[in-house]
Amino acid sequence: MLDFGNFYQLIANKHPQNDLSSWLEILPAQLATWQKENLDSRFSHWLNSIEHLPSVTTPLRLDLLHGVSAQTEPALSTGEQQRIEKLLKTMLPWRKGPFDLHGVYIDAEWRSDLKWDRLLPHIDDLTGKTVLDVGCNSGYHLWRMVGAGAKLAVGIDPMALFLCQFEAVRKLLGNDQRAHLLPLGIEELPKLEAFDMVFSMGVLYHRRSPLDHLLQLKNQLVKGGQLVLETLVIEGDEHQALMPGDRYAQMRNVYFIPSVPTMINWLQKCGFGDVKMVDLSTTNQNEQRTTAWSTEQSLTDFLDPNDASKTIEGYPAPMRAVFTAKK
Ligand SMILES: C[S@@+](CC[C@H](N)C(=O)[O-])C[C@H]1O[C@@H](n2cnc3c(N)ncnc32)[C@H](O)[C@@H]1O
């Protein structure tokens, strides 16, 4: 079983600007229920792998500013590296990375560092901030938020695999307590109004009701806090959004992909101010591809083999935009 006690302790004290203590009224019960419902043989296997990872101690060289990497001095032996690699490979697929941990390079399906590099110049300074990353997956961006100065980075993602990947990485980073992942969906959060910045990246189009998603994000922000939202977008005017049929780029759970003006309209309708689109990019195979750490199909398999501007279903190929907005 995973123990969230460190996080509970961290938030127990009332803080004038970022008070998360009221969360303790429901969080322990929610997480206990989640563990009971998710404790199957795979989850137990992953927990066992985490347990067998070495507890790395200082002196430890961490770099969370240029990537997510850790190395002891002297470096771990080849035998120890191989053992770490074998344990981490019990948690395939690694979707978001890369991580460079004691000579083991987790080359995940997504180069999440590229997304981070695109958005970082356009968002508020993270120094000293308390931040929330909704749909954080393995937690790659949580560590980058810490590297950029965040005091506390909290991620939520309901999937057991991603929680285990996060805890494995945390252990190899020397049990760093500046980031925490809670296995929850955004819809399970009370109105905390305690985060200086809230990130929702790659989540909006998976939500059945995008406007409710935006309001749920707003509920987590302090007054004046910043939302950083990244989503798939289509070309079009402020009245257009794509609601795909059964699948979009082979994904079943895609509901609405807005145009950039529609996304701005949605944010403004939800009461956000200072709404800006700060980056627009087309996803390519440099950023999303099959690797030894994620061997399933990837971007090239999701595009029309004769026309890369279309998905295999005939929709516009994935294009992504980053928006910032203030509460
Ligand atoms: C496309 S991934 C994006 C991961 C990461 N934020 C990024 O931008 O690379 C979407 C993530 O959202 C998570 N997710 C799905 N439904 C969610 C919900 N209701 N609340 C929070 N996270 C959710 C998924 O498990 C998945 O890890």
Side-chain angles (χ1 to χ4, degrees), residues 93-123:
W94 286 76
R95 296 266 181 226
K96 313 290 175 180
F99 299 94
D100 187 359
L101 303 166
H102 309 285
V104 179
Y105 188 76
I106 303 178
D107 189 14
E109 179 192 8
W110 282 86
R111 290 269 316 270
S112 306
D113 52 323
L114 299 180
K115 186 184 287 191
W116 187 247
D117 291 346
R118 282 197 298 271
L119 65 85
L120 189 60
H122 305 291
I123 65 174

PDB file of all heavy atoms in Angstrom, residues 93-123:
ATOM      1  N   PRO A  93       3.594   0.762 -20.317  1.00  0.00           N
ATOM      2  CA  PRO A  93       4.371   1.698 -21.111  1.00  0.00           C
ATOM      3  C   PRO A  93       4.643   3.015 -20.358  1.00  0.00           C
ATOM      4  O   PRO A  93       3.779   3.493 -19.615  1.00  0.00           O
ATOM      5  CB  PRO A  93       3.453   1.960 -22.309  1.00  0.00           C
ATOM      6  CG  PRO A  93       2.059   1.836 -21.751  1.00  0.00           C
ATOM      7  CD  PRO A  93       2.147   0.811 -20.643  1.00  0.00           C
ATOM      8  N   TRP A  94       5.819   3.576 -20.576  1.00  0.00           N
ATOM      9  CA  TRP A  94       6.134   4.920 -20.074  1.00  0.00           C
ATOM     10  C   TRP A  94       5.731   5.898 -21.178  1.00  0.00           C
ATOM     11  O   TRP A  94       6.360   5.974 -22.226  1.00  0.00           O
ATOM     12  CB  TRP A  94       7.626   5.041 -19.751  1.00  0.00           C
ATOM     13  CG  TRP A  94       7.992   4.319 -18.492  1.00  0.00           C
ATOM     14  CD1 TRP A  94       8.131   2.959 -18.340  1.00  0.00           C
ATOM     15  CD2 TRP A  94       8.240   4.904 -17.200  1.00  0.00           C
ATOM     16  NE1 TRP A  94       8.464   2.663 -17.031  1.00  0.00           N
ATOM     17  CE2 TRP A  94       8.543   3.838 -16.308  1.00  0.00           C
ATOM     18  CE3 TRP A  94       8.257   6.211 -16.716  1.00  0.00           C
ATOM     19  CZ2 TRP A  94       8.850   4.047 -14.967  1.00  0.00           C
ATOM     20  CZ3 TRP A  94       8.554   6.410 -15.375  1.00  0.00           C
ATOM     21  CH2 TRP A  94       8.843   5.342 -14.509  1.00  0.00           C
ATOM     22  N   ARG A  95       4.653   6.624 -20.909  1.00  0.00           N
ATOM     23  CA  ARG A  95       4.116   7.537 -21.949  1.00  0.00           C
ATOM     24  C   ARG A  95       4.840   8.883 -21.952  1.00  0.00           C
ATOM     25  O   ARG A  95       5.017   9.488 -22.993  1.00  0.00           O
ATOM     26  CB  ARG A  95       2.638   7.809 -21.682  1.00  0.00           C
ATOM     27  CG  ARG A  95       1.777   6.578 -21.783  1.00  0.00           C
ATOM     28  CD  ARG A  95       1.203   6.445 -23.169  1.00  0.00           C
ATOM     29  NE  ARG A  95       0.360   5.268 -23.266  1.00  0.00           N
ATOM     30  CZ  ARG A  95       0.400   4.401 -24.249  1.00  0.00           C
ATOM     31  NH1 ARG A  95       1.261   4.562 -25.248  1.00  0.00           N
ATOM     32  NH2 ARG A  95      -0.393   3.366 -24.287  1.00  0.00           N
ATOM     33  N   LYS A  96       5.150   9.391 -20.751  1.00  0.00           N
ATOM     34  CA  LYS A  96       5.703  10.762 -20.665  1.00  0.00           C
ATOM     35  C   LYS A  96       7.071  10.744 -20.006  1.00  0.00           C
ATOM     36  O   LYS A  96       7.257  10.145 -18.946  1.00  0.00           O
ATOM     37  CB  LYS A  96       4.763  11.669 -19.850  1.00  0.00           C
ATOM     38  CG  LYS A  96       3.288  11.560 -20.236  1.00  0.00           C
ATOM     39  CD  LYS A  96       2.962  12.145 -21.582  1.00  0.00           C
ATOM     40  CE  LYS A  96       1.496  11.870 -21.915  1.00  0.00           C
ATOM     41  NZ  LYS A  96       1.085  12.406 -23.200  1.00  0.00           N
ATOM     42  N   GLY A  97       8.017  11.398 -20.600  1.00  0.00           N
ATOM     43  CA  GLY A  97       9.378  11.460 -20.097  1.00  0.00           C
ATOM     44  C   GLY A  97      10.126  12.526 -20.894  1.00  0.00           C
ATOM     45  O   GLY A  97       9.500  13.451 -21.399  1.00  0.00           O
ATOM     46  N   PRO A  98      11.451  12.420 -21.077  1.00  0.00           N
ATOM     47  CA  PRO A  98      12.317  11.322 -20.631  1.00  0.00           C
ATOM     48  C   PRO A  98      12.826  11.571 -19.208  1.00  0.00           C
ATOM     49  O   PRO A  98      12.818  12.699 -18.713  1.00  0.00           O
ATOM     50  CB  PRO A  98      13.482  11.429 -21.621  1.00  0.00           C
ATOM     51  CG  PRO A  98      13.561  12.900 -21.944  1.00  0.00           C
ATOM     52  CD  PRO A  98      12.159  13.420 -21.904  1.00  0.00           C
ATOM     53  N   PHE A  99      13.288  10.481 -18.577  1.00  0.00           N
ATOM     54  CA  PHE A  99      13.945  10.553 -17.282  1.00  0.00           C
ATOM     55  C   PHE A  99      15.328   9.933 -17.427  1.00  0.00           C
ATOM     56  O   PHE A  99      15.475   8.915 -18.119  1.00  0.00           O
ATOM     57  CB  PHE A  99      13.157   9.755 -16.233  1.00  0.00           C
ATOM     58  CG  PHE A  99      11.750  10.247 -16.006  1.00  0.00           C
ATOM     59  CD1 PHE A  99      10.676   9.682 -16.688  1.00  0.00           C
ATOM     60  CD2 PHE A  99      11.484  11.258 -15.086  1.00  0.00           C
ATOM     61  CE1 PHE A  99       9.373  10.110 -16.476  1.00  0.00           C
ATOM     62  CE2 PHE A  99      10.179  11.698 -14.864  1.00  0.00           C
ATOM     63  CZ  PHE A  99       9.123  11.131 -15.557  1.00  0.00           C
ATOM     64  N   ASP A 100      16.297  10.548 -16.795  1.00  0.00           N
ATOM     65  CA  ASP A 100      17.668  10.046 -16.852  1.00  0.00           C
ATOM     66  C   ASP A 100      18.105   9.759 -15.417  1.00  0.00           C
ATOM     67  O   ASP A 100      18.532  10.671 -14.706  1.00  0.00           O
ATOM     68  CB  ASP A 100      18.551  11.130 -17.505  1.00  0.00           C
ATOM     69  CG  ASP A 100      19.954  10.644 -17.768  1.00  0.00           C
ATOM     70  OD1 ASP A 100      20.250   9.482 -17.434  1.00  0.00           O
ATOM     71  OD2 ASP A 100      20.755  11.436 -18.300  1.00  0.00           O
ATOM     72  N   LEU A 101      17.949   8.515 -14.994  1.00  0.00           N
ATOM     73  CA  LEU A 101      18.095   8.180 -13.577  1.00  0.00           C
ATOM     74  C   LEU A 101      19.208   7.181 -13.367  1.00  0.00           C
ATOM     75  O   LEU A 101      19.069   6.001 -13.737  1.00  0.00           O
ATOM     76  CB  LEU A 101      16.760   7.631 -13.054  1.00  0.00           C
ATOM     77  CG  LEU A 101      15.555   8.578 -13.240  1.00  0.00           C
ATOM     78  CD1 LEU A 101      14.243   7.852 -13.022  1.00  0.00           C
ATOM     79  CD2 LEU A 101      15.672   9.798 -12.332  1.00  0.00           C
ATOM     80  N   HIS A 102      20.311   7.653 -12.863  1.00  0.00           N
ATOM     81  CA  HIS A 102      21.441   6.778 -12.514  1.00  0.00           C
ATOM     82  C   HIS A 102      21.917   5.950 -13.708  1.00  0.00           C
ATOM     83  O   HIS A 102      22.148   4.748 -13.586  1.00  0.00           O
ATOM     84  CB  HIS A 102      21.045   5.882 -11.322  1.00  0.00           C
ATOM     85  CG  HIS A 102      20.485   6.684 -10.193  1.00  0.00           C
ATOM     86  ND1 HIS A 102      21.271   7.449  -9.376  1.00  0.00           N
ATOM     87  CD2 HIS A 102      19.203   6.913  -9.796  1.00  0.00           C
ATOM     88  CE1 HIS A 102      20.503   8.096  -8.513  1.00  0.00           C
ATOM     89  NE2 HIS A 102      19.242   7.798  -8.756  1.00  0.00           N
ATOM     90  N   GLY A 103      21.980   6.593 -14.851  1.00  0.00           N
ATOM     91  CA  GLY A 103      22.471   5.910 -16.047  1.00  0.00           C
ATOM     92  C   GLY A 103      21.384   5.155 -16.798  1.00  0.00           C
ATOM     93  O   GLY A 103      21.628   4.603 -17.863  1.00  0.00           O
ATOM     94  N   VAL A 104      20.163   5.128 -16.256  1.00  0.00           N
ATOM     95  CA  VAL A 104      19.043   4.491 -16.970  1.00  0.00           C
ATOM     96  C   VAL A 104      18.248   5.609 -17.642  1.00  0.00           C
ATOM     97  O   VAL A 104      17.755   6.520 -16.970  1.00  0.00           O
ATOM     98  CB  VAL A 104      18.136   3.693 -16.008  1.00  0.00           C
ATOM     99  CG1 VAL A 104      16.966   3.072 -16.773  1.00  0.00           C
ATOM    100  CG2 VAL A 104      18.943   2.630 -15.280  1.00  0.00           C
ATOM    101  N   TYR A 105      18.141   5.541 -18.972  1.00  0.00           N
ATOM    102  CA  TYR A 105      17.461   6.592 -19.714  1.00  0.00           C
ATOM    103  C   TYR A 105      16.075   6.080 -20.125  1.00  0.00           C
ATOM    104  O   TYR A 105      15.968   5.177 -20.967  1.00  0.00           O
ATOM    105  CB  TYR A 105      18.283   6.986 -20.946  1.00  0.00           C
ATOM    106  CG  TYR A 105      17.729   8.209 -21.648  1.00  0.00           C
ATOM    107  CD1 TYR A 105      17.931   9.484 -21.123  1.00  0.00           C
ATOM    108  CD2 TYR A 105      16.978   8.078 -22.824  1.00  0.00           C
ATOM    109  CE1 TYR A 105      17.409  10.607 -21.746  1.00  0.00           C
ATOM    110  CE2 TYR A 105      16.454   9.198 -23.454  1.00  0.00           C
ATOM    111  CZ  TYR A 105      16.675  10.450 -22.910  1.00  0.00           C
ATOM    112  OH  TYR A 105      16.147  11.558 -23.528  1.00  0.00           O
ATOM    113  N   ILE A 106      15.042   6.650 -19.508  1.00  0.00           N
ATOM    114  CA  ILE A 106      13.668   6.237 -19.837  1.00  0.00           C
ATOM    115  C   ILE A 106      13.216   7.071 -21.025  1.00  0.00           C
ATOM    116  O   ILE A 106      12.801   8.226 -20.890  1.00  0.00           O
ATOM    117  CB  ILE A 106      12.715   6.425 -18.633  1.00  0.00           C
ATOM    118  CG1 ILE A 106      13.237   5.650 -17.417  1.00  0.00           C
ATOM    119  CG2 ILE A 106      11.306   5.971 -19.005  1.00  0.00           C
ATOM    120  CD1 ILE A 106      12.385   5.824 -16.153  1.00  0.00           C
ATOM    121  N   ASP A 107      13.294   6.462 -22.184  1.00  0.00           N
ATOM    122  CA  ASP A 107      12.933   7.143 -23.426  1.00  0.00           C
ATOM    123  C   ASP A 107      11.441   6.884 -23.663  1.00  0.00           C
ATOM    124  O   ASP A 107      11.059   5.923 -24.336  1.00  0.00           O
ATOM    125  CB  ASP A 107      13.797   6.564 -24.561  1.00  0.00           C
ATOM    126  CG  ASP A 107      13.643   7.348 -25.844  1.00  0.00           C
ATOM    127  OD1 ASP A 107      13.100   8.468 -25.805  1.00  0.00           O
ATOM    128  OD2 ASP A 107      14.060   6.829 -26.902  1.00  0.00           O
ATOM    129  N   ALA A 108      10.620   7.744 -23.074  1.00  0.00           N
ATOM    130  CA  ALA A 108       9.170   7.538 -23.106  1.00  0.00           C
ATOM    131  C   ALA A 108       8.605   7.817 -24.505  1.00  0.00           C
ATOM    132  O   ALA A 108       9.292   8.379 -25.361  1.00  0.00           O
ATOM    133  CB  ALA A 108       8.518   8.468 -22.081  1.00  0.00           C
ATOM    134  N   GLU A 109       7.336   7.436 -24.696  1.00  0.00           N
ATOM    135  CA  GLU A 109       6.692   7.682 -26.007  1.00  0.00           C
ATOM    136  C   GLU A 109       6.728   9.176 -26.351  1.00  0.00           C
ATOM    137  O   GLU A 109       6.996   9.546 -27.491  1.00  0.00           O
ATOM    138  CB  GLU A 109       5.232   7.208 -25.970  1.00  0.00           C
ATOM    139  CG  GLU A 109       4.499   7.457 -27.287  1.00  0.00           C
ATOM    140  CD  GLU A 109       2.988   7.270 -27.221  1.00  0.00           C
ATOM    141  OE1 GLU A 109       2.449   7.091 -26.119  1.00  0.00           O
ATOM    142  OE2 GLU A 109       2.362   7.325 -28.300  1.00  0.00           O
ATOM    143  N   TRP A 110       6.462  10.025 -25.358  1.00  0.00           N
ATOM    144  CA  TRP A 110       6.398  11.476 -25.590  1.00  0.00           C
ATOM    145  C   TRP A 110       7.642  12.151 -25.075  1.00  0.00           C
ATOM    146  O   TRP A 110       8.070  11.871 -23.948  1.00  0.00           O
ATOM    147  CB  TRP A 110       5.188  12.074 -24.860  1.00  0.00           C
ATOM    148  CG  TRP A 110       3.895  11.850 -25.559  1.00  0.00           C
ATOM    149  CD1 TRP A 110       3.093  10.757 -25.457  1.00  0.00           C
ATOM    150  CD2 TRP A 110       3.227  12.758 -26.459  1.00  0.00           C
ATOM    151  NE1 TRP A 110       1.972  10.923 -26.231  1.00  0.00           N
ATOM    152  CE2 TRP A 110       2.030  12.128 -26.853  1.00  0.00           C
ATOM    153  CE3 TRP A 110       3.524  14.023 -26.949  1.00  0.00           C
ATOM    154  CZ2 TRP A 110       1.126  12.740 -27.720  1.00  0.00           C
ATOM    155  CZ3 TRP A 110       2.623  14.623 -27.817  1.00  0.00           C
ATOM    156  CH2 TRP A 110       1.444  13.983 -28.202  1.00  0.00           C
ATOM    157  N   ARG A 111       8.191  13.058 -25.839  1.00  0.00           N
ATOM    158  CA  ARG A 111       9.237  13.971 -25.361  1.00  0.00           C
ATOM    159  C   ARG A 111       8.532  15.129 -24.653  1.00  0.00           C
ATOM    160  O   ARG A 111       8.291  16.190 -25.244  1.00  0.00           O
ATOM    161  CB  ARG A 111      10.064  14.482 -26.541  1.00  0.00           C
ATOM    162  CG  ARG A 111      10.959  13.451 -27.213  1.00  0.00           C
ATOM    163  CD  ARG A 111      12.339  13.432 -26.575  1.00  0.00           C
ATOM    164  NE  ARG A 111      12.893  14.734 -26.319  1.00  0.00           N
ATOM    165  CZ  ARG A 111      13.645  15.441 -27.166  1.00  0.00           C
ATOM    166  NH1 ARG A 111      13.956  14.939 -28.335  1.00  0.00           N
ATOM    167  NH2 ARG A 111      14.123  16.623 -26.829  1.00  0.00           N
ATOM    168  N   SER A 112       8.172  14.927 -23.402  1.00  0.00           N
ATOM    169  CA  SER A 112       7.403  15.939 -22.667  1.00  0.00           C
ATOM    170  C   SER A 112       8.224  17.192 -22.421  1.00  0.00           C
ATOM    171  O   SER A 112       7.674  18.262 -22.119  1.00  0.00           O
ATOM    172  CB  SER A 112       6.933  15.371 -21.330  1.00  0.00           C
ATOM    173  OG  SER A 112       6.244  14.170 -21.525  1.00  0.00           O
ATOM    174  N   ASP A 113       9.537  17.063 -22.541  1.00  0.00           N
ATOM    175  CA  ASP A 113      10.408  18.235 -22.382  1.00  0.00           C
ATOM    176  C   ASP A 113      10.124  19.265 -23.480  1.00  0.00           C
ATOM    177  O   ASP A 113      10.236  20.479 -23.250  1.00  0.00           O
ATOM    178  CB  ASP A 113      11.892  17.826 -22.404  1.00  0.00           C
ATOM    179  CG  ASP A 113      12.254  16.977 -23.607  1.00  0.00           C
ATOM    180  OD1 ASP A 113      11.425  16.136 -24.034  1.00  0.00           O
ATOM    181  OD2 ASP A 113      13.362  17.159 -24.152  1.00  0.00           O
ATOM    182  N   LEU A 114       9.712  18.808 -24.653  1.00  0.00           N
ATOM    183  CA  LEU A 114       9.473  19.751 -25.759  1.00  0.00           C
ATOM    184  C   LEU A 114       8.259  20.642 -25.447  1.00  0.00           C
ATOM    185  O   LEU A 114       8.271  21.842 -25.703  1.00  0.00           O
ATOM    186  CB  LEU A 114       9.285  18.996 -27.081  1.00  0.00           C
ATOM    187  CG  LEU A 114      10.498  18.154 -27.521  1.00  0.00           C
ATOM    188  CD1 LEU A 114      10.216  17.436 -28.843  1.00  0.00           C
ATOM    189  CD2 LEU A 114      11.747  19.023 -27.664  1.00  0.00           C
ATOM    190  N   LYS A 115       7.216  20.013 -24.881  1.00  0.00           N
ATOM    191  CA  LYS A 115       6.033  20.801 -24.490  1.00  0.00           C
ATOM    192  C   LYS A 115       6.427  21.830 -23.429  1.00  0.00           C
ATOM    193  O   LYS A 115       6.034  22.991 -23.475  1.00  0.00           O
ATOM    194  CB  LYS A 115       4.936  19.871 -23.949  1.00  0.00           C
ATOM    195  CG  LYS A 115       3.633  20.550 -23.662  1.00  0.00           C
ATOM    196  CD  LYS A 115       2.603  19.621 -23.030  1.00  0.00           C
ATOM    197  CE  LYS A 115       2.027  18.616 -24.001  1.00  0.00           C
ATOM    198  NZ  LYS A 115       0.849  17.900 -23.437  1.00  0.00           N
ATOM    199  N   TRP A 116       7.235  21.372 -22.458  1.00  0.00           N
ATOM    200  CA  TRP A 116       7.666  22.260 -21.373  1.00  0.00           C
ATOM    201  C   TRP A 116       8.449  23.444 -21.936  1.00  0.00           C
ATOM    202  O   TRP A 116       8.225  24.592 -21.562  1.00  0.00           O
ATOM    203  CB  TRP A 116       8.496  21.471 -20.361  1.00  0.00           C
ATOM    204  CG  TRP A 116       8.838  22.266 -19.138  1.00  0.00           C
ATOM    205  CD1 TRP A 116      10.069  22.684 -18.751  1.00  0.00           C
ATOM    206  CD2 TRP A 116       7.919  22.752 -18.150  1.00  0.00           C
ATOM    207  NE1 TRP A 116       9.985  23.395 -17.577  1.00  0.00           N
ATOM    208  CE2 TRP A 116       8.679  23.460 -17.192  1.00  0.00           C
ATOM    209  CE3 TRP A 116       6.540  22.669 -17.981  1.00  0.00           C
ATOM    210  CZ2 TRP A 116       8.095  24.073 -16.080  1.00  0.00           C
ATOM    211  CZ3 TRP A 116       5.960  23.290 -16.878  1.00  0.00           C
ATOM    212  CH2 TRP A 116       6.735  23.977 -15.948  1.00  0.00           C
ATOM    213  N   ASP A 117       9.368  23.155 -22.863  1.00  0.00           N
ATOM    214  CA  ASP A 117      10.181  24.228 -23.455  1.00  0.00           C
ATOM    215  C   ASP A 117       9.302  25.227 -24.209  1.00  0.00           C
ATOM    216  O   ASP A 117       9.576  26.425 -24.217  1.00  0.00           O
ATOM    217  CB  ASP A 117      11.219  23.646 -24.435  1.00  0.00           C
ATOM    218  CG  ASP A 117      12.295  22.866 -23.702  1.00  0.00           C
ATOM    219  OD1 ASP A 117      12.388  23.001 -22.465  1.00  0.00           O
ATOM    220  OD2 ASP A 117      13.023  22.095 -24.358  1.00  0.00           O
ATOM    221  N   ARG A 118       8.238  24.723 -24.830  1.00  0.00           N
ATOM    222  CA  ARG A 118       7.366  25.626 -25.598  1.00  0.00           C
ATOM    223  C   ARG A 118       6.602  26.573 -24.687  1.00  0.00           C
ATOM    224  O   ARG A 118       6.390  27.731 -25.027  1.00  0.00           O
ATOM    225  CB  ARG A 118       6.349  24.812 -26.419  1.00  0.00           C
ATOM    226  CG  ARG A 118       6.909  24.195 -27.676  1.00  0.00           C
ATOM    227  CD  ARG A 118       5.795  23.783 -28.640  1.00  0.00           C
ATOM    228  NE  ARG A 118       4.891  22.784 -28.113  1.00  0.00           N
ATOM    229  CZ  ARG A 118       5.069  21.470 -28.217  1.00  0.00           C
ATOM    230  NH1 ARG A 118       6.137  20.994 -28.825  1.00  0.00           N
ATOM    231  NH2 ARG A 118       4.187  20.621 -27.716  1.00  0.00           N
ATOM    232  N   LEU A 119       6.153  26.043 -23.522  1.00  0.00           N
ATOM    233  CA  LEU A 119       5.268  26.896 -22.712  1.00  0.00           C
ATOM    234  C   LEU A 119       5.996  27.747 -21.673  1.00  0.00           C
ATOM    235  O   LEU A 119       5.526  28.831 -21.307  1.00  0.00           O
ATOM    236  CB  LEU A 119       4.137  26.077 -22.084  1.00  0.00           C
ATOM    237  CG  LEU A 119       4.436  24.996 -21.037  1.00  0.00           C
ATOM    238  CD1 LEU A 119       4.541  25.583 -19.648  1.00  0.00           C
ATOM    239  CD2 LEU A 119       3.314  23.961 -21.061  1.00  0.00           C
ATOM    240  N   LEU A 120       7.152  27.273 -21.199  1.00  0.00           N
ATOM    241  CA  LEU A 120       7.821  27.949 -20.077  1.00  0.00           C
ATOM    242  C   LEU A 120       8.056  29.453 -20.287  1.00  0.00           C
ATOM    243  O   LEU A 120       7.826  30.240 -19.361  1.00  0.00           O
ATOM    244  CB  LEU A 120       9.136  27.228 -19.735  1.00  0.00           C
ATOM    245  CG  LEU A 120       9.831  27.689 -18.457  1.00  0.00           C
ATOM    246  CD1 LEU A 120       8.941  27.484 -17.226  1.00  0.00           C
ATOM    247  CD2 LEU A 120      11.163  26.979 -18.267  1.00  0.00           C
ATOM    248  N   PRO A 121       8.477  29.897 -21.497  1.00  0.00           N
ATOM    249  CA  PRO A 121       8.721  31.341 -21.650  1.00  0.00           C
ATOM    250  C   PRO A 121       7.462  32.197 -21.513  1.00  0.00           C
ATOM    251  O   PRO A 121       7.566  33.419 -21.344  1.00  0.00           O
ATOM    252  CB  PRO A 121       9.271  31.462 -23.087  1.00  0.00           C
ATOM    253  CG  PRO A 121       9.598  30.080 -23.522  1.00  0.00           C
ATOM    254  CD  PRO A 121       8.775  29.144 -22.709  1.00  0.00           C
ATOM    255  N   HIS A 122       6.284  31.580 -21.577  1.00  0.00           N
ATOM    256  CA  HIS A 122       5.044  32.367 -21.647  1.00  0.00           C
ATOM    257  C   HIS A 122       4.239  32.378 -20.350  1.00  0.00           C
ATOM    258  O   HIS A 122       3.189  33.006 -20.291  1.00  0.00           O
ATOM    259  CB  HIS A 122       4.144  31.811 -22.755  1.00  0.00           C
ATOM    260  CG  HIS A 122       4.834  31.744 -24.078  1.00  0.00           C
ATOM    261  ND1 HIS A 122       5.171  32.870 -24.781  1.00  0.00           N
ATOM    262  CD2 HIS A 122       5.284  30.685 -24.784  1.00  0.00           C
ATOM    263  CE1 HIS A 122       5.785  32.507 -25.891  1.00  0.00           C
ATOM    264  NE2 HIS A 122       5.869  31.189 -25.917  1.00  0.00           N
ATOM    265  N   ILE A 123       4.697  31.617 -19.336  1.00  0.00           N
ATOM    266  CA  ILE A 123       3.861  31.503 -18.129  1.00  0.00           C
ATOM    267  C   ILE A 123       4.480  32.302 -16.985  1.00  0.00           C
ATOM    268  O   ILE A 123       5.617  32.752 -17.079  1.00  0.00           O
ATOM    269  CB  ILE A 123       3.651  30.014 -17.736  1.00  0.00           C
ATOM    270  CG1 ILE A 123       4.978  29.364 -17.318  1.00  0.00           C
ATOM    271  CG2 ILE A 123       3.003  29.253 -18.888  1.00  0.00           C
ATOM    272  CD1 ILE A 123       4.810  27.932 -16.789  1.00  0.00           C
TER     273      ILE A 123
END
